[in-house]
């Protein structure tokens, strides 16, 4: 190889290294997850694990699980129907139910009746041997529950069916 080829190869290498350094720095700045607050309702607690199944209280809110922060002191006050404001990352794992990692803060904001204690066992007793459509119709017919509570109740009913 001639002197011109070595110079071009050296120049390309330097340009590629500079480009890599700039893009690495740029990607660290752009992809920092945003922290958001969510209004949620507790659907179920997984005793002893610090895991909560919750429903987001917005019109198209999702059902998702999250872990309580390690320093959370009010876990004994949580029950189905407890309203929370949680602070955590904007992104959620796309599973069903969804998974929200790294919840930083949990604040109790209110209480609703414990709809799980009120309905789960009676629905299972009455509709446990029925097909899925009949069980879902029975859950949808519960007029005192919002859509998120119905989805949470349905999920727990279906999970019991798998046991």
């Amino acid at each position: 190889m001639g002197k011109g080829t070595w110079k071009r190869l050296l120049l390309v290498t330097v340009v590629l290294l500079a480009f890599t350094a700039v893009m690495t720095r740029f990607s660290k700045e752009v992809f920092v997850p945003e922290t958001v607050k969510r209004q949620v309702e507790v659907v179920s607690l997984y005793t002893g694990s610090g895991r909560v199944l919750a429903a987001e209280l917005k019109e198209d809110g999702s059902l998702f699980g999250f872990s309580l922060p390690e320093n959370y002191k009010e876990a004994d006050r949580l029950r189905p129907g407890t309203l929370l404001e949680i602070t955590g990352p904007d992104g959620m794992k796309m599973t069903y139910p969804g998974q929200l990692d790294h919840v930083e803060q949990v604040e109790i904001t209110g209480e609703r009746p414990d709809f799980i204690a009120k309905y789960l066992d009676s629905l299972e007793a009455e509709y446990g041997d029925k097909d899925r459509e009949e069980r879902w119709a029975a859950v949808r017919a519960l007029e005192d529950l919002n859509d998120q509570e119905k989805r949470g109740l349905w999920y727990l009913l279906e999970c019991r069916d798998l046991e």
Side-chain angles (χ1 to χ4, degrees):
M1 279 196 250
K3 288 186 181 181
T5 305
W6 283 110
K7 287 181 183 179
R8 280 189 223 116
L9 184 60
L10 181 60
L11 178 64
V12 168
T13 303
V14 169
V15 168
L16 285 175
L17 286 173
F19 178 75
T20 302
V22 167
M23 291 309 293
T24 302
R25 177 167 168 69
F26 177 72
S27 67
K28 288 179 184 176
E29 291 175 8
V30 171
F31 298 110
V32 174
E34 186 177 329
T35 300
V36 297
K37 293 183 182 222
R38 289 181 168 84
Q39 306 301 317
V40 304
E41 180 175 2
V42 174
V43 173
S44 185
L45 301 160
Y46 299 102
T47 311
S49 71
R51 295 282 300 163
V52 176
L53 179 64
E56 194 166 12
L57 294 177
K58 61 181 187 177
E59 190 171 321
D60 61 343
S62 60
L63 191 63
F64 64 95
F66 70 93
S67 292
L68 294 168
E70 287 184 27
N71 61 349
Y72 189 66
K73 306 287 188 231
E74 297 184 283
D76 57 331
R77 291 184 53 203
L78 301 181
R79 61 163 187 72
T82 302
L83 303 177
L84 305 173
E85 180 179 83
I86 62 173
T87 304
D90 188 27
M92 186 179 302
K93 290 181 183 174
M94 300 306 289
T95 59
Y96 190 80
Q99 300 296 317
L100 184 63
D101 292 333
H102 310 294
V103 169
E104 300 165 7
Q105 186 177 355
V106 176
E107 181 182 335
I108 297 175
T109 59
E111 296 282 332
R112 288 181 45 87
D114 183 346
F115 61 98
I116 299 300
K118 183 176 180 180
Y119 291 117
L120 186 62
D121 290 335
S122 62
L123 281 169
E124 185 174 39
E126 188 171 346
Y127 295 96
D129 59 345
K130 309 285 187 204
D131 66 21
R132 296 182 80 205
E133 287 77 24
E134 287 182 73
R135 287 191 300 238
W136 179 231
V139 170
R140 280 195 328 260
L142 300 172
E143 294 179 3
D144 61 328
L145 300 184
N146 62 41
D147 288 342
Q148 292 83 355
E149 290 170 333
K150 289 176 184 178
R151 280 190 293 222
L153 184 59
W154 169 250
Y155 176 77
L156 293 177
L157 192 60
E158 288 298 295
C159 285
R160 281 189 174 186
D161 193 38
L162 296 174
E163 292 176 349

